[in-house]
Amino acid sequence: MQEDKNLSEIKVGDLKIIENKELSIWEALIPIVALIGMLAFNVYAYGDDALSGSNQFILLMGAAVAAIVGFLNKVPYKLMLEEVGENVKSTSSAIIILLMVGALAGTWLISGIIPSMIYYGLQILNPTVFLAASLVICCIVSIATGSSWTTSATVGIALMGIGNALGVPAGMTAGAVLSGAYFGDKMSPLSDTTNLAPAVAGGELFEHIKYMTYTTVPTIIITLIVFVIIGFNIDATGSVNTEKMLAGIKASFNVTPWLFIVPAIVILLIIRKTSPLIALIIGALLGGIFATIFQSAIIWDQGLRYDVTKVSSEFKDYVSWDNVSNNNYQSPGVYTLISKEEGVTMSKPIVFNLLSSKTSVTDKFSETTTIFKDGKEIGTINLNALPTNFLQSAYFSVMNALTVETSIQTEDERLNGLFEAKGMGGMLGTIWLIICAMTFGGVMDAIGALAKISSSILNMFDSIFGLFASTVFSCITLNATASDQYLAIVVPGKMYAKAFKDKGLAPENLSRTLEDSGTVTSTLVPWNTGGAYQSSVLGVGVADYFVYAIFNWLSPIMTLFFAAFKIKIKKLVAK
């Protein structure tokens, strides 16, 4: 960095902010304008499929535009790569957590944990109170865990299932879940952002939490009132007849309160300050163990495989199985022994119809046939298909639930789409998006664009309200450009700390504003790590839940309202 005299660094813990003296605000905005234009056209062209890959490439194109701006301002290519590497590295924990959430969702499905939550939830909740109850439940869990991500990955997934069964629109349910989840993410002393904001602003943790209650409590109360009103006016179909749904769940799963031991353990681990990653891994593995204990029928249906005799070398030039893979175990299906060349015949055709349910399977399939070539006997072949035992089937069932898509059919067609999980594989699209977004953010940081945009916004305002407004605007802008809520807190926090002090304002004003606008709005940006994660976990697009994530978009408005009317604006106390 020393050799690049136009560049300077500000370090905050493991994060750093790069300033570029030669970069103008107009140059810093070029990649933003280009990205917005390309994304707008791409979303118009691809619609809902834009996040399937094309938006990811657009983010890389935005990074390329930023790199060109950097080259023109004497920013070394090596520095850009280093910043991209640091940015992607900073998301490594989030990426692994995403994979574990996918794994947890799979094992919690086959173990009956999520179906049991839905089963009991359908009996307790109804569409009128469901959204308000979901908000309160997620508030409690997120305060206890300090994590919006853990909240949505556990009770959030279950509440999405209950909402779908009740006929509540998925966007509404996701909005209630996220509003509650981010309430705790802001207010819990266990939350990383709750600790980061006062550290950056120069304040004290519990004074920061106390000061946040002034804006956060009114916001969550308004959010609750809105969801109560929506509940009384919602036109849901699920309240008419849930008996068939309950019967369908009961017929497909062993429903028991004992299954709730697993989510209780996960939440307890988080409360005890265990790493969320470790808690999720334990939760996923416990889900697999409980599936083996409580859901034997599902284990057989999902994991039953067959050891099919391979054609020996003396016959392989004459006959073969039509669709047997090279794996040691084959999935249920129809397997036919076929001739490989003209003139080859068999004394008896062999067709194994390998069933998918253990209740219909005999101990093994066994057939014998004689192979002929042009009427001449080649030899007799004995073929078998041995079904896996319970432990072998449990291994396949649990491993598939952890890694790939799993679906469980019920007697009620309305539930079939509900009992599906994508495993770790289902999270790869979101991980792809995060990596591309962090590439764009890394280049923008390396060329000094993020610091330039923040400082320019700060210079636009002279009043106290203007200072609050510029902080809010900077946080939201950085969530959209840097694609990371931590940078949306750190960059404005360091840039504006002196300005708040010069105005005679206590650091709690800044730390509260950082949380009100940086922490909670990350989930409203599709390519931000927060938005990508939550939309993937809850299975709802950001555009679908945006308007219903009331707490998230109302929080920055509330902080501006307090600033405009000078409500609870704490002054520095002379020492």
Side-chain angles (χ1 to χ4, degrees):
M1 181 66 73
Q2 288 78 8
E3 62 189 33
D4 309 307
K5 297 181 180 179
N6 57 314
L7 302 175
S8 60
E9 287 184 0
I10 301 174
K11 289 196 173 183
V12 185
D14 294 332
L15 298 173
K16 61 183 177 182
I17 306 164
I18 297 178
E19 293 182 301
N20 188 339
K21 297 176 182 177
E22 295 191 7
L23 188 72
S24 71
I25 180 60
W26 302 112
E27 290 173 315
L29 289 173
I30 288 174
I32 305 295
V33 174
L35 179 64
I36 292 173
M38 290 187 290
L39 283 173
F41 178 79
N42 192 62
V43 171
Y44 170 78
Y46 278 90
D48 292 340
D49 293 331
L51 285 174
S52 297
S54 55
N55 269 3
Q56 284 89 327
F57 184 76
I58 293 298
L59 284 165
L60 294 181
M61 293 298 295
V65 173
I68 293 172
V69 173
F71 289 138
L72 295 175
N73 284 274
K74 303 177 183 178
V75 179
Y77 174 70
K78 180 180 178 182
L79 177 61
M80 296 186 209
L81 284 184
E82 287 176 354
E83 286 304 302
V84 169
E86 288 298 317
N87 257 24
V88 173
K89 179 182 176 181
S90 71
T91 65
S92 58
S93 177
I95 287 173
I96 299 173
I97 286 175
L98 262 175
L99 291 174
M100 286 303 103
V101 168
L104 179 141
T107 59
W108 282 24
L109 171 62
I110 65 168
S111 64
I113 294 170
I114 292 174
S116 292
M117 288 181 176
I118 295 172
Y119 181 84
Y120 292 113
L122 285 173
Q123 297 178 72
I124 298 171
L125 301 173
N126 62 69
T128 302
V129 301
F130 172 71
L131 292 172
S134 297
L135 174 68
V136 173
I137 290 169
C138 289
C139 283
I140 294 170
V141 174
S142 61
I143 283 287
T145 63
S147 171
S148 58
W149 285 29
T150 302
T151 301
S152 57
T154 51
V155 296
I157 293 175
L159 289 169
M160 290 301 300
I162 296 171
N164 287 337
L166 289 172
V168 178
M172 288 185 183
T173 306
V177 168
L178 293 175
S179 293
Y182 278 87
F183 170 81
D185 206 320
K186 276 183 65 178
M187 298 300 294
S188 174
L190 301 178
S191 170
D192 48 4
T193 56
T194 306
N195 285 271
L196 178 63
V200 171
E204 192 271 332
L205 173 62
F206 288 99
E207 190 67 20
H208 164 64
I209 293 174
K210 174 186 173 182
Y211 204 63
M212 274 202 301
T213 59
Y214 297 130
T215 56
T216 304
V217 172
T219 304
I220 199 67
I221 289 174
I222 293 172
T223 303
L224 179 61
I225 291 171
V226 172
F227 279 121
V228 169
I229 294 171
I230 292 175
F232 279 108
N233 292 276
I234 195 170
D235 181 21
T237 59
S239 60
V240 178
N241 179 23
T242 59
E243 292 303 317
K244 186 179 178 183
M245 288 186 179
L246 295 173
I249 297 173
K250 196 79 171 176
S252 300
F253 298 91
N254 176 18
V255 177
T256 170
W258 288 109
L259 293 169
F260 296 151
I261 292 175
V262 177
I265 289 174
V266 172
I267 293 173
L268 181 62
L269 286 171
I270 297 295
I271 293 174
R272 305 267 312 194
K273 298 185 179 181
T274 304
S275 163
L277 177 58
I278 294 174
L280 289 172
I281 291 174
I282 292 173
L285 294 176
L286 285 176
I289 293 171
F290 272 56
T292 305
I293 296 171
F294 290 97
Q295 309 294 341
S296 60
I298 290 175
I299 291 295
W300 283 121
D301 289 341
Q302 296 290 319
L304 183 62
R305 297 293 185 273
Y306 293 85
D307 182 3
V308 179
T309 305
K310 290 181 170 59
V311 176
S312 60
S313 57
E314 61 179 302
F315 298 109
K316 66 179 183 179
D317 291 333
Y318 305 103
V319 294
S320 66
W321 290 110
D322 58 346
N323 63 349
V324 169
S325 68
N326 290 324
N327 299 332
N328 289 328
Y329 293 94
Q330 311 300 322
S331 299
V334 178
Y335 296 85
T336 305
L337 192 68
I338 58 174
S339 59
K340 295 180 67 175
E341 59 181 77
E342 230 177 283
V344 175
T345 58
M346 290 173 274
S347 62
K348 178 183 177 182
I350 294 183
V351 178
F352 284 165
N353 184 14
L354 305 183
L355 304 174
S356 60
S357 174
K358 179 63 176 176
T359 57
S360 305
V361 175
T362 59
D363 287 339
K364 70 176 182 178
F365 292 81
S366 183
E367 295 286 353
T368 301
T369 190
T370 301
I371 310 298
F372 298 90
K373 169 65 174 173
D374 297 326
K376 179 181 177 182
E377 182 179 333
I378 303 300
T380 299
I381 184 171
N382 297 312
L383 298 170
N384 301 299
L386 303 176
T388 51
N389 60 38
F390 181 76
L391 288 179
Q392 290 172 318
S393 298
Y395 178 82
F396 283 112
S397 181
V398 172
M399 189 58 69
N400 286 344
L402 288 167
T403 56
V404 297
E405 187 170 344
T406 300
S407 63
I408 297 175
Q409 302 298 307
T410 70
E411 297 174 355
D412 191 332
E413 292 184 1
R414 293 174 294 177
L415 294 171
N416 290 340
L418 185 59
F419 295 141
E420 293 179 350
K422 297 180 179 179
M424 291 192 294
M427 296 297 175
L428 295 180
T430 302
I431 291 171
W432 181 14
L433 176 66
I434 290 173
I435 291 173
C436 293
M438 298 313 289
T439 300
F440 174 75
V443 178
M444 287 289 287
D445 188 24
I447 68 174
L450 300 182
K452 177 61 69 174
I453 291 171
S454 296
S455 61
S456 298
I457 293 173
L458 175 61
N459 294 332
M460 291 170 60
F461 303 98
D462 292 325
S463 66
I464 289 179
F465 174 77
L467 183 58
F468 278 89
S470 62
T471 306
V472 170
F473 187 41
S474 294
C475 289
I476 295 174
T477 300
L478 284 164
N479 262 326
T481 55
S483 305
D484 182 77
Q485 70 173 358
Y486 298 106
L487 286 175
I489 292 172
V490 170
V491 175
K494 295 308 294 181
M495 292 294 174
Y496 298 168
K498 185 176 183 299
F500 271 79
K501 185 176 181 180
D502 291 343
K503 293 286 185 182
L505 300 175
E508 287 76 25
N509 296 284
L510 175 57
S511 62
R512 182 183 71 184
T513 307
L514 294 174
E515 290 254 58
D516 283 342
S517 51
T519 299
V520 298
T521 60
S522 63
T523 192
L524 303 178
V525 181
W527 53 86
N528 188 286
T529 51
Y533 173 87
Q534 300 294 0
S535 62
S536 179
V537 169
L538 299 178
V540 184
V542 174
D544 295 319
Y545 69 64
F546 187 102
V547 69
Y548 300 109
I550 300 166
F551 178 80
N552 301 72
W553 56 256
L554 184 58
S555 290
I557 296 174
M558 184 64 71
T559 205
L560 289 177
F561 175 83
F562 271 60
F565 291 94
K566 296 182 173 59
I567 304 171
K568 295 298 180 182
I569 304 300
K570 187 178 181 181
K571 300 290 185 178
L572 280 172
V573 178
K575 296 183 179 179

